[in-house]
Amino acid sequence: MTKHLLLWAVLFLLGCKKNDAQLSTDREDRIALDSTHVETFLAGHPEFKNYKSDFTELYRKHGYHYIWYDQNGRIDFAEALYNRVNQIGADGVLTKIPYKAEIEAVFAEDGKAKPQDELLLSAMYFFYAQKVVAGVDAQKSKSTGWFLPRDKIDYVSYLDTLLLEPAKIEEDDTENIAQYYHLRKALQRYRDIRDQGGWGAIAFPDSKKVLQPGDNDPAVAQARKRLAATGEIATDNGSTTYDAELETAIAAYRKRNNILGAHLTPMLANHLNVPVEKRIKTLVVNMERCRWLSPDIAQSKELIAVNIPAFQLHYFKNGKPVLQSNVVVGKEANKTVIFSGQISYLVFSPYWNIPNSILKKEIKPAMAKDPNYLAKHHMEWHGNNLRQKPGDHNSLGLVKFMFPNSNNIYLHDSPAKNVFGMDDRARSHGCVRVEKARELAIKILEDDRNWNPQKIDKAMHSGRERQYTLDRKIPVYLAYFTAWANQDGVAAFFDDVYERDDRLAQLLYK
């Protein structure tokens, strides 16, 4: 609080407007508020009853004085908040504004202080902070399979921040990650596309498996029109011939959406054919997921992030990407859990200690059919447990990256390199297979004087398990985003592999 008061003193000396002065608790122009008005207000506005404790904390902190009014009338920031709430749809918030007509009437008046109006503006603020900054409560987010840690938003302290820095009402990277604002731009772009009529479908010819440069087909013109709608092609010339311009546009679209292969295929046509309204819903859902992530994540010196629907891993150092890799994640029956951990050690030439569930469901039935199954697959009993020996044949590959957790999930190499070239890469038993596992190990250990690429290769191929504890712990996040956008609002969309979008959308679209 001392820093806030000091800042107020500086602002006052500089002749700032009244909306910059709200945290000074001893101003002569403050108006006292009778605490009994809060109970009366909530009784008449039951949709705000969940904010009762927030009201108490807010006005107790401000010595039961008005916040939104002083002797000269309504403060400037109240108008800024009102404008922001009126545009709350831009944040993907689809809930109606409670008592909207009442709020509009307040701002239609001359701005003189009334207890009812003061409390209504505080309620409007709580509604805004809950919907735009906090999102649905933690228990509801867990019901959608989200177990990444969530920060609890202190509405009262955040209001203090906004009163000191009103510009944060438009964009605040201390409360929402940057991706939130990128998706907000994308949401506006796709709503504009919808309002302009959206896009038509591509009718891919049944007689062909691929359309490529030089081909002539009505589907080519349809693809060209579709890509022009989202800006991959500057202008639609209507040509049915697959030319260089279309080839470049399709290659860029595939790369951004992490769709493997080349040229125009039935699978790519299906991706392009998803209606714009569904894409809008996907953007809204993923903006909500952004609210659940702490902005502190971006401040991590090191960070490994896996986006399950995108089948991608990104490794960041000092805020900059240093490695990107395709990954394989858990199949539907063995979903990769959305949670976070800290990589603390690596294991080279690992054994695979086979879980009892796999032993019972897969290995024992195979052993019953083939008495030599264990020898063929380089497996052995170790006490009462079954394990697979280290080597090129091992299902974990040549290195694994450990972040101890109750889900028994980790990152690891894989000998089945062909799987990384498949469109559907939800194929594991829950752990995350990393295509560039060797490169990831080299990047993690590049500043460790005990290692170099040659030593790492030797350890990976030694055939003898070796564990190495890191000199620091690296945060790793397994997240679930079916849409992602760049700073210009250009969005990529990924398949909802665990069908979680609709469950979240039901919470948001009530």
Side-chain angles (χ1 to χ4, degrees):
M1 193 63 180
T2 303
K3 290 182 178 178
H4 288 166
L5 290 172
L6 179 59
L7 180 55
W8 154 237
V10 172
L11 292 174
F12 180 81
L13 291 173
L14 291 174
C16 290
K17 290 183 177 181
K18 60 189 176 186
N19 65 321
D20 295 315
Q22 301 311 306
L23 295 186
S24 177
T25 57
D26 57 356
R27 287 188 357 242
E28 293 181 358
D29 60 350
R30 302 197 84 200
I31 305 170
L33 176 71
D34 187 335
S35 62
T36 61
H37 285 304
V38 175
E39 290 288 347
T40 304
F41 172 81
L42 292 176
H45 298 79
E47 289 190 56
F48 292 141
K49 64 182 180 180
N50 291 337
Y51 303 136
K52 182 177 180 179
S53 61
D54 299 306
F55 270 104
T56 301
E57 182 184 351
L58 176 63
Y59 284 100
R60 182 180 293 149
K61 183 173 183 179
H62 286 264
Y64 281 94
H65 284 86
Y66 280 52
I67 296 165
W68 305 100
Y69 295 84
D70 57 25
Q71 298 291 353
N72 296 315
R74 196 166 46 239
I75 67 170
D76 295 343
F77 180 67
E79 301 282 348
L81 176 63
Y82 174 61
N83 291 334
R84 195 74 184 78
V85 171
N86 274 337
Q87 300 172 41
I88 205 166
D91 288 278
V93 176
L94 308 165
T95 308
K96 68 179 182 65
I97 301 170
Y99 310 102
K100 184 177 181 181
E102 254 186 84
I103 294 171
E104 288 174 346
V106 169
F107 285 91
E109 295 173 353
D110 58 7
K112 295 299 182 182
K114 299 175 187 175
Q116 176 93 350
D117 295 352
E118 163 69 18
L119 296 171
L120 190 61
L121 297 193
S122 289
M124 180 179 70
Y125 161 73
F126 290 137
F127 169 79
Y128 164 81
Q130 179 189 9
K131 298 299 182 182
V132 175
V133 182
V136 303
D137 65 57
Q139 285 304 116
K140 288 182 179 178
S141 64
K142 285 181 180 179
S143 75
T144 69
W146 188 278
F147 294 97
L148 285 172
R150 291 186 57 180
D151 291 342
K152 182 175 175 58
I153 304 299
D154 185 335
Y155 297 150
V156 174
S157 294
Y158 186 52
L159 178 55
D160 289 347
T161 299
L162 291 176
L163 290 167
L164 282 168
E165 301 180 71
K168 285 183 178 291
I169 195 72
E170 295 298 331
E171 184 169 329
D172 184 2
D173 59 9
T174 65
E175 288 298 335
N176 281 324
I177 63 172
Q179 179 59 203
Y180 176 84
Y181 300 104
H182 300 343
L183 289 173
R184 190 168 73 179
K185 289 181 183 177
L187 178 61
Q188 185 57 55
R189 291 182 75 233
Y190 277 76
R191 283 175 170 168
D192 289 343
I193 292 171
R194 176 197 61 193
D195 295 344
Q196 293 165 11
W199 52 68
I202 301 168
F204 199 90
D206 295 333
S207 59
K208 295 186 177 181
K209 294 183 178 180
V210 62
L211 289 171
Q212 52 195 342
D215 287 347
N216 191 293
D217 193 276
V220 171
Q222 294 162 359
R224 192 186 305 278
K225 184 176 182 179
R226 164 63 183 84
L227 291 167
T230 46
E232 279 84 7
I233 291 179
T235 55
D236 174 20
N237 62 18
S239 173
T240 58
T241 300
Y242 197 129
D243 56 18
E245 182 183 34
L246 182 63
E247 181 180 15
T248 299
I250 285 178
Y253 186 90
R254 279 184 171 276
K255 182 178 180 180
R256 185 171 69 254
N257 293 277
N258 199 26
I259 300 173
L260 305 180
H263 307 309
L264 183 58
T265 61
M267 189 203 71
L268 179 60
N270 288 338
H271 196 275
L272 289 163
N273 282 343
V274 174
V276 65
E277 198 63 55
K278 187 171 182 180
R279 291 306 194 201
I280 288 171
K281 182 179 287 189
T282 299
L283 291 167
V284 168
V285 163
N286 286 279
M287 287 176 71
E288 177 65 25
R289 290 185 176 124
C290 285
R291 296 184 182 103
W292 304 346
L293 283 177
S294 169
D296 293 341
I297 290 174
Q299 307 305 316
S300 302
K301 187 175 180 180
E302 285 183 274
L303 170 67
I304 292 175
V306 174
N307 187 10
I308 294 168
F311 306 126
Q312 284 188 327
L313 173 149
H314 294 267
Y315 181 23
F316 299 90
K317 285 189 175 183
N318 298 315
K320 297 180 180 179
V322 295
L323 179 72
Q324 177 180 325
S325 175
N326 287 334
V327 299
V328 170
V329 301
K331 53 192 173 185
E332 175 65 25
N334 304 98
K335 298 180 180 70
T336 299
V337 181
I338 302 167
F339 76 110
S340 64
Q342 293 185 312
I343 294 178
S344 56
Y345 66 97
L346 276 56
V347 180
F348 297 104
S349 294
Y351 281 99
W352 178 35
N353 297 300
I354 299 170
N356 287 330
S357 59
I358 297 177
L359 176 61
K360 182 179 179 180
K361 294 179 182 179
E362 301 179 27
I363 307 294
K364 285 187 174 181
M367 290 169 60
K369 294 179 181 179
D370 183 359
N372 295 319
Y373 180 87
L374 295 187
K376 287 179 180 178
H377 292 83
H378 308 276
M379 294 179 180
E380 64 181 12
W381 290 100
H382 183 66
N384 294 323
N385 300 314
L386 187 66
R387 66 183 185 181
Q388 189 176 39
K389 300 174 184 177
D392 293 338
H393 49 266
N394 188 284
S395 295
L396 303 185
L398 302 174
V399 61
K400 62 180 181 178
F401 309 83
M402 303 301 292
F403 44 106
N405 59 84
S406 59
N407 301 298
N408 196 28
I409 287 177
Y410 44 88
L411 312 178
H412 65 85
D413 183 27
S414 173
K417 302 300 183 185
N418 64 307
V419 180
F420 294 106
M422 297 180 178
D423 293 314
D424 176 14
R425 298 198 290 280
R427 294 173 174 270
S428 80
H429 287 95
C431 288
V432 178
R433 305 178 195 170
V434 182
E435 182 176 24
K436 297 180 181 178
R438 174 182 177 270
E439 292 89 335
L440 180 58
I442 290 173
K443 276 294 178 186
I444 287 175
L445 297 171
E446 66 180 351
D447 296 322
D448 190 324
R449 289 179 294 179
N450 296 314
W451 294 94
N452 58 41
Q454 293 73 31
K455 289 183 178 180
I456 290 172
D457 285 337
K458 184 176 180 180
M460 288 175 63
H461 292 89
S462 70
R464 179 172 58 86
E465 185 175 86
R466 178 181 178 184
Q467 178 176 315
Y468 183 74
T469 302
L470 299 177
D471 57 3
R472 80 282 189 198
K473 295 182 178 180
I474 304 173
V476 56
Y477 290 85
L478 306 182
Y480 196 92
F481 286 93
T482 51
W484 199 258
N486 66 17
Q487 62 184 5
D488 297 319
V490 178
F493 297 93
F494 313 111
D495 288 343
D496 183 13
V497 290
Y498 298 155
E499 298 182 352
R500 287 178 167 158
D501 280 6
D502 283 346
R503 193 183 317 170
L504 177 52
Q506 288 173 10
L507 296 176
L508 302 177
Y509 276 75
K510 283 185 178 178

